[in-house]
Amino acid sequence: MNTVLSRANSLFAFSLSVMAALTFGCFITTAFKDRRVPVNIHVAKVMLKNVDDFTGPRERSDLGFITFDLSPIFDWNVKQLFLYLSAEYATKSNSLNQVVLWDKIVLRGENTKLNLRDMKSKYFFFDDGNGLRANKNITLTLSWNVVPNAGILPLVAGSGHVSLPFPDTYESTKSY
């Protein structure tokens, strides 16, 4: 006969196998869902401010507004979204530079229709070699990571971006 420990081990292994199959079934129901939504990014005016410190020149920009509705993304398998606005540009030394300007975490149950006005960049551009000044093609894109209850972490780019030129000079900062 089987001992009590042998039967408990068999029951535990069977329970784990059933839970793994259920988790995979839950994952497969949302694995192929398209998680892109339209995004409206508008930049009213780009201002670059030079901030000198020990690390070299940094530039900060005023972004304008972004509007989007994230409600189609949220379903039973989405815990939260990690949103981030990134800028892509090319310089003489690098063919592709990517900088995150702003980020936000949206939890399930929070307002999913976001209308962000008078937005300023949360993080600085670190410009090695003055590649941002007078750059004529900087593309702003809103992307997000979906954090699910079960499954993979997809990286999704919004279906809307804006390309814009940056000014030739820095804005002067007022000191009071």
Side-chain angles (χ1 to χ4, degrees):
M1 286 296 288
N2 293 330
T3 65
V4 173
L5 289 177
S6 175
R7 289 181 186 190
N9 186 24
S10 298
L11 181 63
F12 182 70
F14 177 72
S15 299
L16 282 180
S17 299
V18 168
M19 289 192 318
L22 288 174
T23 302
F24 179 74
C26 291
F27 154 70
I28 205 69
T29 61
T30 59
F32 303 106
K33 182 178 177 183
D34 186 19
R35 303 210 183 258
R36 286 183 299 219
V37 296
V39 175
N40 180 18
I41 301 173
H42 177 72
V43 179
K45 180 182 178 187
V46 176
M47 293 187 306
L48 295 178
K49 297 175 184 172
N50 190 5
V51 181
D52 286 324
D53 64 3
F54 299 108
T55 61
R58 297 182 295 175
E59 294 153 350
R60 182 169 239 165
S61 62
D62 296 331
L63 298 173
F65 69 87
I66 300 175
T67 57
F68 49 95
D69 181 13
L70 299 171
S71 58
I73 298 174
F74 278 93
D75 57 18
W76 67 269
N77 195 23
V78 175
K79 265 194 245 184
Q80 68 184 19
L81 295 176
F82 177 73
L83 307 170
Y84 59 95
L85 181 71
S86 61
E88 296 181 358
Y89 60 98
T91 59
K92 293 175 186 172
S93 59
N94 297 318
S95 61
L96 177 64
N97 296 290
Q98 294 177 321
V99 178
V100 174
L101 302 175
W102 172 87
D103 62 12
K104 179 177 178 62
I105 294 176
V106 179
L107 300 173
R108 182 196 319 230
E110 290 184 356
N111 186 12
T112 58
K113 294 181 180 180
L114 297 177
N115 187 2
L116 306 169
R117 298 208 175 271
D118 296 329
M119 212 173 105
K120 299 199 181 331
S121 62
K122 188 175 179 181
Y123 305 111
F124 288 106
F125 279 110
F126 283 95
D127 187 18
D128 53 347
N130 294 325
L132 287 174
R133 279 192 313 190
N135 194 319
K136 300 302 179 199
N137 189 17
I138 296 181
T139 304
L140 299 178
T141 305
L142 184 72
S143 304
W144 49 87
N145 287 78
V146 178
V147 180
N149 292 314
I152 59 173
L153 298 167
L155 172 64
V156 182
S159 61
H161 61 274
V162 64
S163 294
L164 55 118
F166 267 31
D168 295 336
T169 60
Y170 290 115
E171 293 286 324
S172 61
T173 56
K174 298 176 184 176
S175 58
Y176 296 98

